[in-house]
Amino acid sequence: MTQTATDSAAPAALRRRRKRAGRLHIVVFLAPAVLIYTIFSVYPLAESLRLSLYDGLEDGSAVWIGLGNYATLLFDPDWARQFWNAFSNNLVLFFVHMVVQNPLGLLLAALLSLAPRFGGAYRTLIFVPTLLSVVIVGFIWELILSPLWGVAETLLGAVGLAGLYQPWLGLESSALVTVSLISVWQYVGIPMMLIYAALIAIPDELIDAARVDGLSGFAIFWKVKLPLILPTLGIVAILTYIGNFTASFDLIYSIQGALGAPNFSTDVMGTLLFRTFFGQQLQLGDVHMGATVASMLFFIILVGVTIYLALVQRRLQRYEM
Amino acid sequence: MSDLTLRNVIKSYGSTKVIHGVDLQVRDGEFVVFVGPSGCGKSTLLRMIAGLESITGGEVAIGGEIVNDISPADRGIAMVFQSYALYPHKDVYGNMAFALRHAGVDKAEIDARVQRAADILGLRDLLHRRPKELSGGQRQRVAIGRAIVRDPKIFLFDEPLSNLDAALRVQMRVEILRLHQRLKTTMIYVTHDQVEAMTLADRIVVLHGGRIAQVGTPLELYHHPDSIFVAGFIGSPKMNFLEAALTGWSQEGAHVQVPSLGEIVVPVSRQGGSERETGARLGIRPEHVQLADPATAAMRGEVLVVERLGGETYLHLDVGAADPFVVKTDGAVSARSGEHVGLAFPPHALHLFSASGAAFPHRERHRTLAEPQGA
Amino acid sequence: MNTPVRTARARTSRLRRISGTASVHAVLLGYTLIAVFPVFLVMMNSFKDRRGIFGEPLSLPHAGTFSLEGYATVLSEGSFATYFGNSLIVTVASLFLILFLGAAAAHALAEYRFRFNALLKIYMIVGIMVPIRLGTVAILKLMVDLNLVNTLLALILVYTAQGLPVAVFILTEFMRTLSRDIKDCARIDGLSEYRIFLEVVLPLIRPVLATVAVFSMIPIWNDLWFPLILASSDATKTVTLGVQQFIGQFTVNWGAVLAALSIAILPVLGLYALFSRQLIAGITSGAVKG
C-alpha cells in the first residue's frame, strides 16, 4: 500500500508499529490441535495400514509382502474361519441394533416429543445406562442373568414365565443375541436423544397445519414427522454401524473374555484384533497381522460410510425448517 | 480535524470486485449517510473505513492521515453495530469501560467518561445490568454509549436501527440526531432505509453496485436525482415511470410523446443527451400527481386498489402501462376501485431520463434548494 | 340462540385423548423401569451381606441383611483411591486440552479466511468417522518409542486426539453463528486476535463448551481399551480397568463385586445429576445434528 508524505508525523510512525498483525495467530490457533490429532490419530492409522503390508522376521526386521497378510487373513483356513466368524457376529450385532435398538429409540422419542408430563424425568432416567462404562454394564447383566443369583429366573417367575429361563450368556446359541440386547439396553438412549432432538425441531406450525388439515396423531407422525427426520435416522444408522464394529469390544471382553466365549460364539472384530495383536494362550502376538485386522476394520467402516454418504445422505433430502 | 477522505477506494475478494473506486470527501462534523439496496457495498465501505476490511486499492484518510495500514483501534473511530455487539458477560458499565480499560486509561477518567455518556443517553440507572436484561432500545443506547466514551474523531453506524421495531426506530432516530447536534462529531451512517437517510443526513451518498450513484443533500436527491436509479430509490411510495419517446427539443425543454398522455413538454435541458436519442422514461412522484376532472384531464386511469392510511390515501391506477401508476392523495378522497379518475401533472415536477438511465437536468433548481444549505 | 351442547362426538374424542395419554405413560414408565432397575438392583444389594444378596436379592437391605463388608473388602484389597485419582487426572486433563485446543482451532477455522481452510476442516473432522482404536498397533509402538507406556500422559494424548474431531466440528458450527459484530467491536476496542479469542469468544461459547465437555467425558471415563493396552500398571490404572480386574479376581465374593460396581457407578450418576440438564440441552439443541 502506498504511503504519501502526509503521514510522516511522529505519532503516525508510532502507530505504524501497532499495524495489523500478520497472520501468525492463525497458525498459533491451529497448530496444537492439528499436531496432536495428526501424531496420535492420523499417523497411527496410516502406520497401521503400512504395517499391514509387512511381515516380521525373526531378527526383528520387517519385509514387504504386499497384500500377503490380507491373503492370509481371508484364505488361510485357520485365519479365515476366525475372520468370517467375527465378521458375521458383527453383522448379527448390527442387525439386532437396527431392528431393536433404533425402532425402540424412535418409539421412545416419538412418545417423549408429545411432551407428556414428567417427560424430562423419563428422558433423564432412560439415558442413565448410556453413561455407564460398558464394563460395569456387562457385569451388572452378568450378575442378573447368572443362574447362581437367580434374579432373572425370579423375575420371570413373577410373570409366570420361569420355565423360559436359560443361562443365556453361557449358551452358544443365545450368547451373541443376549450380548447384543445388553448393548441395546445400554445405548438406546443415543438414538432416542438424536431422534427426539430432530422431532422437537419440527416447527409447531407445521404440526398445527397438519392437524387443521384433519390428520390424526398417528398420521401426522407417519406422513409429516417421519419424512422430516429421515436424515437423522440415516445418521443413527451410520453411528450404529461404526459403533458396532469398534465399541463392541469392551462389552464382549468384559463379559465373555478375549476369546468371545462360549466357543468364539461372541467373537467380534474387536476381540479378534486384540487377540491377534497381543496373543492369547498358545498364540503369539503379531503386530503385522494385528495391523491387518485393524486395516480390514478400517476398510469395512470406509465402505459403510461411503455407502451412507453416496446413497443414503444424497437421497435423504434435508428440509429447511 | 476529523474529516474523512476516500480516494479511488477499491475492494475485491479474489477476482470479484465489490467496490469500484470510490471518491468521497466528508467534512469535519458532517453527518453523512450511505444508503443503497442490499449488496451495494455500503457496509463493506464502512468496514473499510473502520479498518475491519483490508483496502485493495486507493486510500482512506482520517484527519489528513492515511490510515490504510493502521489498526482499527488506532484510527480514532468508534462503531455502532446492527446487532449491538454488546459483550454479554459484562454489565453496561463494563461494556462502556472496556475499550478504555484496555487502552490503560486511568480509573477516574474512565468513570468520568462513562458517567457522562450514561447521562447523555439516560443510562444512569442501568449501569449494572447485563445486556440480556435490557430492551432492544436500551441495548442500542449502550452500544452508542460505548462509542461515545471513546471520544472518537468519527462515529460509524452500521444499520444501527434495523433490529428495532418501528416506533422505537423513530424515537432512536431523533435521539441520534440530537446526539449529533450535541457532540458535533463527524458521523457516517449506513442504512438501507431511505427514510432514515432523508431524515438524518446532512448529505446522502447513494451507492449502487459498488459505485457512488449520487452524493447530495436529501432535498437535492429528492428533487434532482441524477439517474433513474436514485429517482426510484429515494422517495416513498416509489416514483412512477412511464415509457416515452423523445420527439424534439425547444426553448421550453424536451418534447416527449407518452402513449397514455399524448405529447408534453418537460422543462429540462439537453445537456449530455445525444442528438439522435429517442427512447426515454418520464418520471413523476406519486405525491406530485393531482386528481382532475376525468373529462378534461391530460391522462385517465382506472382505480385498481385503494390503500387508506388515514391521513393520506394511495390510489393504484391502471393507465395502460406495464406497472400500476400510484397516486398519493388526500385521506378524504372518495375514489373506489373500478372508478375512472383524471390526472394532472405540474410540469416542474416531471423528471426525464434517457434510455441509459441518466437524468436530463432540470432547467431550474427547486425553490427549496435556492437557500444556502447546511451550516 | 342455541345453547352449545357437548355432543357424543366430543365425549368420545375426550375419552380417546385420556386413554392415549395413559398408554404413552405406560410405555415410558415401563421402559424407564427396565433402564433403571438393573442399576438400582446392583446398588441395593451392595449394602447386604452374602445371605441377603442370595436369599432375598429383590428386597431392600434391612437390619438383618445390611452389611458394608463388600465395601470393606474393596477398600482394603483394591487401590480404588489411586484409580479414581488416575481417572480424574486423565479425564480432566484430556477435557481441558480437547476444549481449549479444539476451541482455538475451531475459532481459526470459523473466523479467518485462508487457503486450505475448508480442506483443513474436513481433515480435522474426518476423525469422527474413523475410530482411533484402529490405529492402536501403531499408537502402542509410538508410545514405546516415546517412552510413555504406563504413563497417564499417554492416555491424555490419545484421548485428546480422539476428542478433537467432534469438538472442532461442533464448535466450528457454533462459532459460525456468533455475531461478527462483537469481534469487530473488540478489534476496534484494540484487542489482539489472541485476546479476542480468550476474552470475547471463549465466554460466548461457554454453554457449548459444557456440552462438548460432557460428551467427550463419557467415553474417556468409561474406556477400557486404551488403559488396558497403554497403561495397565497398578500405578496408572483407571477406575474402569481397576473395576474390571478387581472383579476378575473376586468373582466369588459377590459383596465385593457389587460394592466395586457401585463405587464405579456413583460418581458418574452424581455428575449426571448435576449436568444432565446441560447434556440433554446440548444433545437436543441440534449441536449434533450432523
Side-chain angles (χ1 to χ4, degrees), chain A residues 76-135:
Chain A
D76 176 88
D78 206 34
W79 280 105
R81 189 172 38 77
Q82 293 194 57
F83 172 77
W84 290 114
N85 174 51
F87 182 67
S88 67
N89 284 346
N90 265 129
L91 288 186
V92 171
L93 211 63
F94 178 59
F95 179 76
V96 172
H97 282 85
M98 286 302 280
V99 301
V100 182
Q101 173 187 282
N102 296 344
L104 184 60
L106 178 63
L107 171 72
L108 293 171
L111 296 181
L112 286 174
S113 75
L114 300 175
R117 208 194 286 216
F118 314 121
Y122 290 136
R123 215 170 54 199
T124 307
L125 290 173
I126 293 175
F127 203 70
V128 163
T130 310
L131 297 167
L132 301 180
S133 167
V134 179
V135 173

Side-chain angles (χ1 to χ4, degrees), chain A residues 23 124 131 149 185 250, chain C residues 34 53 113 123 133 222 272:
Chain A
R23 317 258 292 160
T124 307
L131 297 167
W149 202 11
W185 175 82
D250 297 49
Chain C
I34 295 177
I53 294 171
R113 256 186 292 227
Y123 175 76
R133 286 184 182 188
N222 287 340
Y272 183 52

Side-chain angles (χ1 to χ4, degrees), chain B residues 119-137:
Chain B
D119 280 344
I120 294 176
L121 294 161
L123 291 171
R124 271 256 133 134
D125 302 331
L126 304 174
L127 283 175
H128 297 292
R129 298 253 187 106
R130 294 281 173 117
K132 67 173 179 211
E133 299 163 323
L134 302 177
S135 70

Side-chain angles (χ1 to χ4, degrees), chain B residues 19-144:
Chain B
I19 303 284
H20 300 263
V22 165
D23 288 291
L24 183 69
Q25 181 78 45
V26 176
R27 288 186 299 274
D28 185 23
E30 203 175 8
F31 198 130
V32 169
V33 175
F34 292 176
V35 70
S38 61
C40 70
K42 56 190 188 298
S43 279
T44 308
L45 199 57
L46 190 78
R47 293 169 56 81
M48 288 165 81
I49 296 169
L52 296 168
E53 296 278 354
S54 64
I55 296 164
T56 314
E59 285 169 356
V60 174
I62 294 174
E65 182 191 10
I66 293 176
V67 295
N68 283 31
D69 288 331
I70 291 176
S71 76
D74 297 325
R75 289 188 181 195
I77 50 114
M79 189 157 169
V80 177
F81 295 88
Q82 177 175 3
S83 62
Y84 320 130
L86 301 180
Y87 303 116
H89 51 296
K90 297 186 191 299
D91 63 9
V92 170
Y93 190 98
N95 264 285
M96 295 211 278
F98 187 67
L100 299 180
R101 281 185 187 147
H102 180 74
V105 177
D106 74 66
K107 270 208 159 125
E109 169 74 11
I110 293 177
D111 195 58
R113 289 212 221 168
V114 171
Q115 296 296 351
R116 189 180 79 105
D119 280 344
I120 294 176
L121 294 161
L123 291 171
R124 271 256 133 134
D125 302 331
L126 304 174
L127 283 175
H128 297 292
R129 298 253 187 106
R130 294 281 173 117
K132 67 173 179 211
E133 299 163 323
L134 302 177
S135 70
Q138 289 168 336
R139 286 180 205 187
Q140 190 57 71
R141 246 176 245 140
V142 176
I144 294 172

Side-chain angles (χ1 to χ4, degrees), chain A:
Chain A
M1 235 113 310
T2 51
Q3 297 282 327
T4 68
T6 52
D7 61 338
S8 55
L14 250 174
R15 275 176 190 166
R16 233 171 297 126
R17 243 182 286 149
R18 292 186 60 185
K19 269 201 281 207
R20 21 178 96 251
R23 317 258 292 160
L24 182 68
H25 53 270
I26 301 182
V27 177
V28 175
F29 283 136
L30 281 168
V34 171
L35 281 179
I36 291 187
Y37 172 65
T38 305
I39 295 173
F40 295 102
S41 182
V42 177
Y43 160 75
L45 191 69
E47 177 68 4
S48 292
L49 290 172
R50 194 183 70 82
L51 285 172
S52 73
L53 302 175
Y54 288 79
D55 195 12
L57 298 179
E58 296 201 351
D59 61 358
S61 64
V63 59
W64 196 79
I65 54 163
L67 297 175
N69 288 329
Y70 293 90
T72 307
L73 184 63
L74 293 174
F75 302 114
D76 176 88
D78 206 34
W79 280 105
R81 189 172 38 77
Q82 293 194 57
F83 172 77
W84 290 114
N85 174 51
F87 182 67
S88 67
N89 284 346
N90 265 129
L91 288 186
V92 171
L93 211 63
F94 178 59
F95 179 76
V96 172
H97 282 85
M98 286 302 280
V99 301
V100 182
Q101 173 187 282
N102 296 344
L104 184 60
L106 178 63
L107 171 72
L108 293 171
L111 296 181
L112 286 174
S113 75
L114 300 175
R117 208 194 286 216
F118 314 121
Y122 290 136
R123 215 170 54 199
T124 307
L125 290 173
I126 293 175
F127 203 70
V128 163
T130 310
L131 297 167
L132 301 180
S133 167
V134 179
V135 173
I136 292 164
V137 168
F139 282 121
I140 290 178
W141 281 99
E142 207 180 342
L143 298 180
I144 291 177
L145 296 176
S146 156
L148 277 177
W149 202 11
V151 170
E153 207 173 348
T154 314
L155 287 174
L156 280 175
V159 286
L161 294 172
L164 279 181
Y165 176 76
Q166 302 264 304
W168 288 297
L169 279 172
L171 296 177
E172 244 181 83
S173 57
S174 59
L176 182 59
V177 172
T178 309
V179 170
S180 308
L181 289 175
I182 293 173
S183 170
V184 167
W185 175 82
Q186 172 164 27
Y187 287 122
V188 72
I190 292 175
M192 177 187 83
M193 285 294 191
L194 292 176
I195 296 169
Y196 172 75
L199 283 172
I200 59 170
I202 298 174
D204 289 340
E205 283 93 343
L206 206 59
I207 307 305
D208 291 343
R211 199 167 290 149
V212 173
D213 284 345
L215 272 73
S216 68
F218 188 71
I220 289 175
F221 180 78
W222 203 244
K223 294 185 178 156
V224 180
K225 292 185 177 176
L226 204 58
L228 290 175
I229 61 164
L230 277 183
T232 304
L233 298 184
I235 289 171
V236 166
I238 189 67
L239 288 179
T240 309
Y241 182 81
I242 297 174
N244 154 67
F245 278 105
T246 55
S248 52
F249 166 81
D250 297 49
L251 183 62
I252 288 167
Y253 182 80
S254 309
I255 305 183
Q256 311 286 33
L259 289 170
N263 190 23
F264 296 105
S265 65
T266 59
D267 195 23
V268 288
M269 295 293 286
T271 42
L272 176 63
L273 167 59
F274 185 83
R275 227 171 39 237
T276 311
F277 186 28
F278 290 98
Q280 190 80 25
Q281 294 171 350
L282 296 177
Q283 189 186 337
L284 278 175
D286 183 338
V287 172
H288 298 283
M289 280 310 285
T292 308
V293 174
S295 302
M296 277 306 288
L297 250 177
F298 173 69
F299 295 128
I300 290 168
I301 289 173
L302 204 64
V303 168
V305 172
T306 310
I307 292 174
Y308 165 73
L309 291 177
L311 289 173
V312 184
Q313 206 190 24
R314 195 171 298 175
R315 290 256 184 95
L316 298 183
Q317 196 176 339
R318 209 169 279 248
Y319 299 94
E320 286 294 324
M321 289 192 285

Side-chain angles (χ1 to χ4, degrees), chain C:
Chain C
M1 280 283 277
N2 287 330
T3 322
V5 291
R6 190 178 283 280
T7 60
R9 202 167 63 139
R11 271 194 302 275
T12 44
S13 93
R14 203 172 103 93
L15 270 177
R16 206 183 303 145
R17 205 170 56 233
I18 292 171
S19 70
T21 310
S23 48
V24 165
H25 280 281
V27 173
L28 287 174
L29 190 63
Y31 193 79
T32 303
L33 287 178
I34 295 177
V36 178
F37 178 73
V39 180
F40 176 71
L41 187 71
V42 165
M43 301 193 66
M44 179 174 80
N45 280 288
S46 72
F47 293 104
K48 293 181 191 169
D49 60 14
R50 192 177 164 76
R51 203 169 40 81
I53 294 171
F54 284 97
E56 31 192 314
L58 294 178
S59 56
L60 285 168
H62 51 78
T65 55
F66 181 80
S67 154
L68 291 174
E69 67 186 66
Y71 289 93
T73 315
V74 169
L75 294 181
S76 62
E77 300 292 327
S79 353
F80 275 87
T82 315
Y83 304 158
F84 263 114
N86 290 338
S87 277
L88 212 61
I89 292 170
V90 168
T91 308
V92 170
S94 308
L95 274 186
F96 174 77
L97 289 175
I98 290 170
L99 295 180
F100 191 72
L101 304 184
H107 174 63
L109 291 172
E111 177 72 9
Y112 305 112
R113 256 186 292 227
F114 55 92
R115 234 177 343 156
F116 307 125
N117 181 319
L119 211 65
L120 198 59
K121 188 183 167 200
I122 293 173
Y123 175 76
M124 286 304 290
I125 65 179
V126 95
I128 297 175
M129 290 291 191
V130 186
I132 193 169
R133 286 184 182 188
L134 301 183
T136 303
V137 176
I139 288 177
L140 182 58
K141 259 184 79 182
L142 188 66
M143 292 303 175
V144 171
D145 292 344
L146 295 174
N147 223 352
L148 288 176
V149 173
N150 280 332
T151 64
L152 296 179
L153 183 59
L155 293 178
I156 292 169
L157 288 170
V158 170
Y159 291 143
T160 305
Q162 168 185 285
L164 276 172
V166 172
V168 168
F169 174 69
I170 294 179
L171 293 173
T172 312
E173 293 297 303
F174 183 74
M175 285 186 187
R176 280 192 208 285
T177 68
L178 287 185
S179 132
R180 183 175 64 163
D181 288 355
I182 198 158
K183 287 170 269 179
D184 285 344
C185 188
R187 272 178 202 121
I188 291 179
D189 284 347
L191 270 70
S192 69
E193 295 299 321
Y194 303 107
R195 297 192 52 185
I196 289 177
F197 171 67
L198 293 173
E199 290 177 33
V200 178
V201 174
L202 278 188
L204 283 174
I205 61 169
R206 242 180 345 207
V208 189
L209 282 181
T211 304
V212 176
V214 189
F215 259 115
S216 319
M217 190 179 80
I218 299 170
I220 295 174
W221 182 272
N222 287 340
D223 188 38
L224 176 65
W225 177 270
F226 284 114
L228 187 62
I229 291 168
L230 295 178
S232 57
S233 77
D234 251 339
T236 56
K237 241 177 247 177
T238 60
V239 174
T240 306
L241 180 61
V243 169
Q244 197 263 341
Q245 297 193 340
F246 179 87
I247 292 174
Q249 290 165 22
F250 285 79
T251 35
V252 287
N253 186 344
W254 281 57
V257 167
L258 291 167
L261 288 175
S262 302
I263 284 181
I265 293 171
L266 268 175
V268 177
L269 287 190
L271 276 179
Y272 183 52
L274 285 178
F275 291 112
S276 66
R277 212 170 49 87
Q278 227 146 10
L279 172 73
I280 287 168
I283 300 177
T284 52
S285 72
V288 288
K289 265 198 224 154

